[in-house]
Amino acid sequence: MDLGISGKVALVTGGSAGIGLAAAKSLAREGCDVCVCARDPERLADAVVELQEFGKVVHAVLADVEDPSAARRVAEETRDVLGPVDILVANAGGPPAGRFDEVGLDDWDVAVQRNLLGTVRLIHAVLPEMRSRGWGRIVTITSRSVREAIDGLVLSNATRSAVAGVVRTLAREVGGDGVLVNNVLPGPIETERLRRLMGDEEALRGRGEEVPVGRVGRAEEVGDVVAFLASERASFVNGVSLLVDGGESRVIA
Ligand code: NAD
């Protein structure tokens, strides 16, 4: 299937590793020029080398989405180098882990800045041009915690659900302008983050055995879903929060 997005400009935040990098690769493979942003210059440089293999224009911006001025700067630099952003993949690291009585107010601040306001500011920075051009795709990366609260992750449960609320609302407001807004909810995906949380290979394998398909997911399995949602082929999919979890969630709808 031709996804119909060759020549589009994609901005992927948190794009130097894991799910973000995988999404950037899937989009570059489909013919998009890609800008990735992240905080670590060395990993960002490595990501650029990997992305250049697809033969499209690749640009990287060093930025922390927690910084209130980052979104506008990243969007402007993308426009200057590649053109206006057609596709935004709003992604970043997860919020601090912990039960309610384990996280402090500073942790709440980090989570809201990184995972809610970071996303909102990115959307603010790219939406007006998408609307005026009559085409745009916004895909947020959140978590399975949108569907069912995950124990010990109060900040994720709270801030990801808020993002899902933004997605559902915005999708209804801007769908008529050709801008579609969707949300991807990964289950356990083998990235640095999950490897760090699990500690060792045995724990990772054990975690995979809890999933109906018998393993944890691969980042590219999420990246391809992101590329589909960002594509011309997903032109009637708007406002969804889509689980990519190997069937782990028991929630019916
Ligand atoms: P990861 O830690 O492997 O990669 C995160 C990427 O985001 C890296 O490129 C990092 O440099 C960048 N980043 C982190 N904080 C940033 C910030 N403030 N500003 C800019 N860039 C930043 O993580 P991942 O496993 O790919 O997860 C991506 C997202 O998906 C996270 O929000 C995570 O919580 C969520 N998620 C992951 C899983 C999983 O199992 N891997 C499951 C559910 C949800």
mmCIF file of all heavy atoms in Angstrom, residues 58-99:
data_model
loop_
_atom_site.group_PDB
_atom_site.id
_atom_site.type_symbol
_atom_site.label_atom_id
_atom_site.label_comp_id
_atom_site.label_asym_id
_atom_site.label_seq_id
_atom_site.Cartn_x
_atom_site.Cartn_y
_atom_site.Cartn_z
ATOM 1 N N VAL A 58 17.097 15.150 5.993
ATOM 2 C CA VAL A 58 16.952 14.941 7.439
ATOM 3 C C VAL A 58 17.561 16.141 8.156
ATOM 4 O O VAL A 58 18.642 16.604 7.802
ATOM 5 C CB VAL A 58 17.683 13.651 7.888
ATOM 6 C CG1 VAL A 58 17.563 13.471 9.400
ATOM 7 C CG2 VAL A 58 17.136 12.436 7.156
ATOM 8 N N HIS A 59 16.842 16.634 9.133
ATOM 9 C CA HIS A 59 17.365 17.743 9.926
ATOM 10 C C HIS A 59 17.185 17.384 11.403
ATOM 11 O O HIS A 59 16.262 16.640 11.752
ATOM 12 C CB HIS A 59 16.612 19.035 9.585
ATOM 13 C CG HIS A 59 17.162 20.234 10.278
ATOM 14 N ND1 HIS A 59 18.447 20.686 10.069
ATOM 15 C CD2 HIS A 59 16.617 21.066 11.204
ATOM 16 C CE1 HIS A 59 18.659 21.748 10.819
ATOM 17 N NE2 HIS A 59 17.580 21.991 11.523
ATOM 18 N N ALA A 60 18.068 17.898 12.251
ATOM 19 C CA ALA A 60 17.950 17.615 13.687
ATOM 20 C C ALA A 60 18.028 18.920 14.463
ATOM 21 O O ALA A 60 18.806 19.813 14.116
ATOM 22 C CB ALA A 60 19.068 16.681 14.130
ATOM 23 N N VAL A 61 17.234 19.021 15.512
ATOM 24 C CA VAL A 61 17.249 20.205 16.379
ATOM 25 C C VAL A 61 17.418 19.725 17.814
ATOM 26 O O VAL A 61 16.659 18.859 18.273
ATOM 27 C CB VAL A 61 15.925 21.001 16.273
ATOM 28 C CG1 VAL A 61 16.017 22.266 17.121
ATOM 29 C CG2 VAL A 61 15.595 21.348 14.834
ATOM 30 N N LEU A 62 18.401 20.289 18.478
ATOM 31 C CA LEU A 62 18.605 19.971 19.883
ATOM 32 C C LEU A 62 17.562 20.748 20.685
ATOM 33 O O LEU A 62 17.539 21.985 20.638
ATOM 34 C CB LEU A 62 20.018 20.433 20.259
ATOM 35 C CG LEU A 62 20.678 19.806 21.473
ATOM 36 C CD1 LEU A 62 20.756 18.299 21.339
ATOM 37 C CD2 LEU A 62 22.064 20.419 21.659
ATOM 38 N N ALA A 63 16.696 20.059 21.372
ATOM 39 C CA ALA A 63 15.646 20.777 22.115
ATOM 40 C C ALA A 63 15.046 19.873 23.181
ATOM 41 O O ALA A 63 14.966 18.661 23.011
ATOM 42 C CB ALA A 63 14.546 21.241 21.158
ATOM 43 N N ASP A 64 14.621 20.501 24.257
ATOM 44 C CA ASP A 64 13.921 19.810 25.341
ATOM 45 C C ASP A 64 12.485 20.306 25.328
ATOM 46 O O ASP A 64 12.244 21.513 25.523
ATOM 47 C CB ASP A 64 14.613 20.181 26.667
ATOM 48 C CG ASP A 64 13.998 19.456 27.851
ATOM 49 O OD1 ASP A 64 12.824 19.054 27.762
ATOM 50 O OD2 ASP A 64 14.697 19.320 28.865
ATOM 51 N N VAL A 65 11.534 19.410 25.099
ATOM 52 C CA VAL A 65 10.143 19.870 24.962
ATOM 53 C C VAL A 65 9.577 20.428 26.266
ATOM 54 O O VAL A 65 8.510 21.037 26.265
ATOM 55 C CB VAL A 65 9.207 18.765 24.405
ATOM 56 C CG1 VAL A 65 9.655 18.310 23.030
ATOM 57 C CG2 VAL A 65 9.078 17.598 25.364
ATOM 58 N N GLU A 66 10.298 20.226 27.368
ATOM 59 C CA GLU A 66 9.868 20.853 28.630
ATOM 60 C C GLU A 66 10.109 22.363 28.625
ATOM 61 O O GLU A 66 9.511 23.099 29.398
ATOM 62 C CB GLU A 66 10.622 20.245 29.812
ATOM 63 C CG GLU A 66 10.160 18.854 30.163
ATOM 64 C CD GLU A 66 11.080 18.191 31.164
ATOM 65 O OE1 GLU A 66 11.377 18.792 32.211
ATOM 66 O OE2 GLU A 66 11.525 17.067 30.884
ATOM 67 N N ASP A 67 11.019 22.804 27.779
ATOM 68 C CA ASP A 67 11.345 24.230 27.681
ATOM 69 C C ASP A 67 10.201 24.928 26.927
ATOM 70 O O ASP A 67 9.911 24.586 25.774
ATOM 71 C CB ASP A 67 12.681 24.357 26.925
ATOM 72 C CG ASP A 67 12.984 25.781 26.511
ATOM 73 O OD1 ASP A 67 12.206 26.688 26.846
ATOM 74 O OD2 ASP A 67 14.005 25.970 25.826
ATOM 75 N N PRO A 68 9.540 25.906 27.562
ATOM 76 C CA PRO A 68 8.368 26.531 26.924
ATOM 77 C C PRO A 68 8.651 27.163 25.559
ATOM 78 O O PRO A 68 7.743 27.307 24.750
ATOM 79 C CB PRO A 68 7.938 27.604 27.938
ATOM 80 C CG PRO A 68 8.476 27.143 29.238
ATOM 81 C CD PRO A 68 9.751 26.390 28.935
ATOM 82 N N SER A 69 9.916 27.518 25.282
ATOM 83 C CA SER A 69 10.187 28.161 23.990
ATOM 84 C C SER A 69 10.580 27.147 22.905
ATOM 85 O O SER A 69 10.758 27.517 21.742
ATOM 86 C CB SER A 69 11.308 29.202 24.144
ATOM 87 O OG SER A 69 12.508 28.539 24.475
ATOM 88 N N ALA A 70 10.717 25.870 23.292
ATOM 89 C CA ALA A 70 11.274 24.883 22.345
ATOM 90 C C ALA A 70 10.348 24.615 21.153
ATOM 91 O O ALA A 70 10.807 24.541 20.012
ATOM 92 C CB ALA A 70 11.568 23.577 23.072
ATOM 93 N N ALA A 71 9.064 24.472 21.417
ATOM 94 C CA ALA A 71 8.146 24.045 20.350
ATOM 95 C C ALA A 71 8.176 25.016 19.175
ATOM 96 O O ALA A 71 8.292 24.610 18.017
ATOM 97 C CB ALA A 71 6.734 23.920 20.897
ATOM 98 N N ARG A 72 8.070 26.312 19.496
ATOM 99 C CA ARG A 72 8.049 27.294 18.420
ATOM 100 C C ARG A 72 9.374 27.292 17.654
ATOM 101 O O ARG A 72 9.407 27.332 16.435
ATOM 102 C CB ARG A 72 7.761 28.687 19.010
ATOM 103 C CG ARG A 72 7.436 29.717 17.981
ATOM 104 C CD ARG A 72 6.476 30.756 18.516
ATOM 105 N NE ARG A 72 5.184 30.215 18.897
ATOM 106 C CZ ARG A 72 4.222 29.889 18.038
ATOM 107 N NH1 ARG A 72 4.412 30.035 16.749
ATOM 108 N NH2 ARG A 72 3.075 29.403 18.462
ATOM 109 N N ARG A 73 10.483 27.207 18.418
ATOM 110 C CA ARG A 73 11.804 27.215 17.784
ATOM 111 C C ARG A 73 11.959 26.002 16.850
ATOM 112 O O ARG A 73 12.430 26.135 15.723
ATOM 113 C CB ARG A 73 12.885 27.191 18.880
ATOM 114 C CG ARG A 73 14.296 27.199 18.372
ATOM 115 C CD ARG A 73 15.271 27.442 19.515
ATOM 116 N NE ARG A 73 15.250 26.435 20.556
ATOM 117 C CZ ARG A 73 15.885 25.276 20.483
ATOM 118 N NH1 ARG A 73 16.578 24.972 19.407
ATOM 119 N NH2 ARG A 73 15.835 24.408 21.473
ATOM 120 N N VAL A 74 11.553 24.836 17.332
ATOM 121 C CA VAL A 74 11.698 23.612 16.529
ATOM 122 C C VAL A 74 10.826 23.702 15.270
ATOM 123 O O VAL A 74 11.268 23.365 14.170
ATOM 124 C CB VAL A 74 11.324 22.363 17.367
ATOM 125 C CG1 VAL A 74 11.289 21.116 16.503
ATOM 126 C CG2 VAL A 74 12.303 22.179 18.516
ATOM 127 N N ALA A 75 9.609 24.179 15.431
ATOM 128 C CA ALA A 75 8.710 24.284 14.266
ATOM 129 C C ALA A 75 9.266 25.282 13.254
ATOM 130 O O ALA A 75 9.233 25.036 12.036
ATOM 131 C CB ALA A 75 7.313 24.701 14.725
ATOM 132 N N GLU A 76 9.782 26.401 13.756
ATOM 133 C CA GLU A 76 10.310 27.423 12.828
ATOM 134 C C GLU A 76 11.543 26.912 12.103
ATOM 135 O O GLU A 76 11.702 27.119 10.895
ATOM 136 C CB GLU A 76 10.644 28.709 13.602
ATOM 137 C CG GLU A 76 9.386 29.518 13.882
ATOM 138 C CD GLU A 76 9.629 30.708 14.807
ATOM 139 O OE1 GLU A 76 10.798 30.967 15.167
ATOM 140 O OE2 GLU A 76 8.632 31.354 15.183
ATOM 141 N N GLU A 77 12.413 26.221 12.857
ATOM 142 C CA GLU A 77 13.631 25.704 12.200
ATOM 143 C C GLU A 77 13.269 24.630 11.167
ATOM 144 O O GLU A 77 13.862 24.573 10.089
ATOM 145 C CB GLU A 77 14.590 25.149 13.260
ATOM 146 C CG GLU A 77 16.016 25.172 12.763
ATOM 147 C CD GLU A 77 17.030 24.799 13.831
ATOM 148 O OE1 GLU A 77 16.970 25.336 14.950
ATOM 149 O OE2 GLU A 77 17.886 23.945 13.520
ATOM 150 N N THR A 78 12.276 23.828 11.483
ATOM 151 C CA THR A 78 11.835 22.812 10.512
ATOM 152 C C THR A 78 11.329 23.508 9.244
ATOM 153 O O THR A 78 11.680 23.129 8.126
ATOM 154 C CB THR A 78 10.721 21.930 11.106
ATOM 155 O OG1 THR A 78 11.152 21.417 12.349
ATOM 156 C CG2 THR A 78 10.371 20.771 10.169
ATOM 157 N N ARG A 79 10.509 24.540 9.433
ATOM 158 C CA ARG A 79 9.963 25.251 8.273
ATOM 159 C C ARG A 79 11.081 25.885 7.441
ATOM 160 O O ARG A 79 11.098 25.795 6.211
ATOM 161 C CB ARG A 79 8.991 26.338 8.725
ATOM 162 C CG ARG A 79 8.330 27.031 7.544
ATOM 163 C CD ARG A 79 7.639 28.338 7.891
ATOM 164 N NE ARG A 79 6.742 28.240 9.008
ATOM 165 C CZ ARG A 79 6.987 28.796 10.196
ATOM 166 N NH1 ARG A 79 8.109 29.464 10.402
ATOM 167 N NH2 ARG A 79 6.122 28.685 11.171
ATOM 168 N N ASP A 80 12.061 26.489 8.129
ATOM 169 C CA ASP A 80 13.149 27.149 7.399
ATOM 170 C C ASP A 80 13.966 26.158 6.573
ATOM 171 O O ASP A 80 14.410 26.464 5.470
ATOM 172 C CB ASP A 80 14.093 27.878 8.373
ATOM 173 C CG ASP A 80 13.395 29.070 9.018
ATOM 174 O OD1 ASP A 80 12.313 29.450 8.530
ATOM 175 O OD2 ASP A 80 13.926 29.590 10.017
ATOM 176 N N VAL A 81 14.180 24.954 7.117
ATOM 177 C CA VAL A 81 15.063 23.997 6.440
ATOM 178 C C VAL A 81 14.294 23.070 5.487
ATOM 179 O O VAL A 81 14.739 22.807 4.368
ATOM 180 C CB VAL A 81 15.842 23.146 7.481
ATOM 181 C CG1 VAL A 81 16.760 22.150 6.790
ATOM 182 C CG2 VAL A 81 16.645 24.053 8.407
ATOM 183 N N LEU A 82 13.140 22.576 5.939
ATOM 184 C CA LEU A 82 12.421 21.550 5.159
ATOM 185 C C LEU A 82 11.119 22.060 4.544
ATOM 186 O O LEU A 82 10.619 21.479 3.578
ATOM 187 C CB LEU A 82 12.072 20.342 6.056
ATOM 188 C CG LEU A 82 13.229 19.648 6.782
ATOM 189 C CD1 LEU A 82 12.685 18.528 7.658
ATOM 190 C CD2 LEU A 82 14.218 19.073 5.783
ATOM 191 N N GLY A 83 10.542 23.105 5.159
ATOM 192 C CA GLY A 83 9.221 23.575 4.745
ATOM 193 C C GLY A 83 8.255 23.425 5.916
ATOM 194 O O GLY A 83 8.608 22.851 6.950
ATOM 195 N N PRO A 84 7.017 23.920 5.766
ATOM 196 C CA PRO A 84 6.042 23.841 6.859
ATOM 197 C C PRO A 84 5.766 22.390 7.266
ATOM 198 O O PRO A 84 5.777 21.496 6.413
ATOM 199 C CB PRO A 84 4.775 24.470 6.264
ATOM 200 C CG PRO A 84 5.176 25.114 4.999
ATOM 201 C CD PRO A 84 6.479 24.542 4.549
ATOM 202 N N VAL A 85 5.510 22.198 8.539
ATOM 203 C CA VAL A 85 5.290 20.835 9.057
ATOM 204 C C VAL A 85 3.924 20.320 8.592
ATOM 205 O O VAL A 85 2.900 20.935 8.859
ATOM 206 C CB VAL A 85 5.361 20.834 10.605
ATOM 207 C CG1 VAL A 85 5.013 19.458 11.163
ATOM 208 C CG2 VAL A 85 6.748 21.278 11.077
ATOM 209 N N ASP A 86 3.939 19.177 7.889
ATOM 210 C CA ASP A 86 2.694 18.511 7.494
ATOM 211 C C ASP A 86 2.268 17.483 8.532
ATOM 212 O O ASP A 86 1.083 17.222 8.722
ATOM 213 C CB ASP A 86 2.882 17.752 6.170
ATOM 214 C CG ASP A 86 3.253 18.665 5.022
ATOM 215 O OD1 ASP A 86 2.473 19.590 4.726
ATOM 216 O OD2 ASP A 86 4.338 18.455 4.415
ATOM 217 N N ILE A 87 3.272 16.851 9.148
ATOM 218 C CA ILE A 87 3.017 15.737 10.073
ATOM 219 C C ILE A 87 3.779 16.009 11.360
ATOM 220 O O ILE A 87 5.004 16.208 11.331
ATOM 221 C CB ILE A 87 3.523 14.408 9.459
ATOM 222 C CG1 ILE A 87 2.710 14.052 8.206
ATOM 223 C CG2 ILE A 87 3.476 13.277 10.495
ATOM 224 C CD1 ILE A 87 3.337 12.940 7.359
ATOM 225 N N LEU A 88 3.054 16.035 12.475
ATOM 226 C CA LEU A 88 3.705 16.179 13.784
ATOM 227 C C LEU A 88 3.532 14.884 14.563
ATOM 228 O O LEU A 88 2.404 14.410 14.729
ATOM 229 C CB LEU A 88 3.058 17.321 14.588
ATOM 230 C CG LEU A 88 3.444 17.365 16.082
ATOM 231 C CD1 LEU A 88 4.921 17.709 16.266
ATOM 232 C CD2 LEU A 88 2.556 18.364 16.834
ATOM 233 N N VAL A 89 4.640 14.315 15.016
ATOM 234 C CA VAL A 89 4.579 13.188 15.953
ATOM 235 C C VAL A 89 5.081 13.723 17.293
ATOM 236 O O VAL A 89 6.266 14.014 17.456
ATOM 237 C CB VAL A 89 5.436 11.998 15.484
ATOM 238 C CG1 VAL A 89 5.315 10.840 16.485
ATOM 239 C CG2 VAL A 89 5.013 11.543 14.090
ATOM 240 N N ALA A 90 4.136 13.934 18.221
ATOM 241 C CA ALA A 90 4.477 14.540 19.513
ATOM 242 C C ALA A 90 4.810 13.436 20.505
ATOM 243 O O ALA A 90 3.942 12.700 20.979
ATOM 244 C CB ALA A 90 3.301 15.381 20.011
ATOM 245 N N ASN A 91 6.094 13.332 20.798
ATOM 246 C CA ASN A 91 6.611 12.229 21.628
ATOM 247 C C ASN A 91 7.701 12.802 22.526
ATOM 248 O O ASN A 91 8.359 13.785 22.177
ATOM 249 C CB ASN A 91 7.191 11.164 20.682
ATOM 250 C CG ASN A 91 7.946 10.070 21.403
ATOM 251 O OD1 ASN A 91 7.395 9.374 22.245
ATOM 252 N ND2 ASN A 91 9.231 9.924 21.087
ATOM 253 N N ALA A 92 7.893 12.187 23.676
ATOM 254 C CA ALA A 92 9.014 12.550 24.568
ATOM 255 C C ALA A 92 9.161 11.424 25.565
ATOM 256 O O ALA A 92 8.388 10.458 25.544
ATOM 257 C CB ALA A 92 8.731 13.862 25.295
ATOM 258 N N GLY A 93 10.139 11.537 26.441
ATOM 259 C CA GLY A 93 10.298 10.522 27.474
ATOM 260 C C GLY A 93 9.078 10.496 28.385
ATOM 261 O O GLY A 93 8.299 11.445 28.430
ATOM 262 N N GLY A 94 8.919 9.410 29.101
ATOM 263 C CA GLY A 94 7.770 9.282 30.008
ATOM 264 C C GLY A 94 7.966 10.119 31.268
ATOM 265 O O GLY A 94 9.070 10.570 31.570
ATOM 266 N N PRO A 95 6.881 10.344 32.007
ATOM 267 C CA PRO A 95 6.982 11.084 33.270
ATOM 268 C C PRO A 95 7.624 10.222 34.360
ATOM 269 O O PRO A 95 7.693 8.996 34.213
ATOM 270 C CB PRO A 95 5.516 11.385 33.601
ATOM 271 C CG PRO A 95 4.742 10.298 32.944
ATOM 272 C CD PRO A 95 5.513 9.884 31.731
ATOM 273 N N PRO A 96 8.063 10.845 35.457
ATOM 274 C CA PRO A 96 8.626 10.047 36.548
ATOM 275 C C PRO A 96 7.626 8.992 37.028
ATOM 276 O O PRO A 96 6.416 9.231 37.029
ATOM 277 C CB PRO A 96 8.891 11.084 37.651
ATOM 278 C CG PRO A 96 8.978 12.402 36.937
ATOM 279 C CD PRO A 96 8.085 12.287 35.747
ATOM 280 N N ALA A 97 8.138 7.823 37.432
ATOM 281 C CA ALA A 97 7.275 6.753 37.946
ATOM 282 C C ALA A 97 7.015 6.981 39.435
ATOM 283 O O ALA A 97 7.746 7.724 40.094
ATOM 284 C CB ALA A 97 7.955 5.405 37.723
ATOM 285 N N GLY A 98 5.980 6.332 39.947
ATOM 286 C CA GLY A 98 5.743 6.393 41.390
ATOM 287 C C GLY A 98 4.268 6.400 41.721
ATOM 288 O O GLY A 98 3.431 6.760 40.898
ATOM 289 N N ARG A 99 3.986 5.948 42.967
ATOM 290 C CA ARG A 99 2.628 6.038 43.498
ATOM 291 C C ARG A 99 2.374 7.481 43.928
ATOM 292 O O ARG A 99 3.304 8.267 44.041
ATOM 293 C CB ARG A 99 2.501 5.109 44.714
ATOM 294 C CG ARG A 99 2.691 3.648 44.414
ATOM 295 C CD ARG A 99 3.058 2.895 45.692
ATOM 296 N NE ARG A 99 2.128 3.212 46.776
ATOM 297 C CZ ARG A 99 1.041 2.499 47.071
ATOM 298 N NH1 ARG A 99 0.779 1.406 46.381
ATOM 299 N NH2 ARG A 99 0.243 2.841 48.061
#
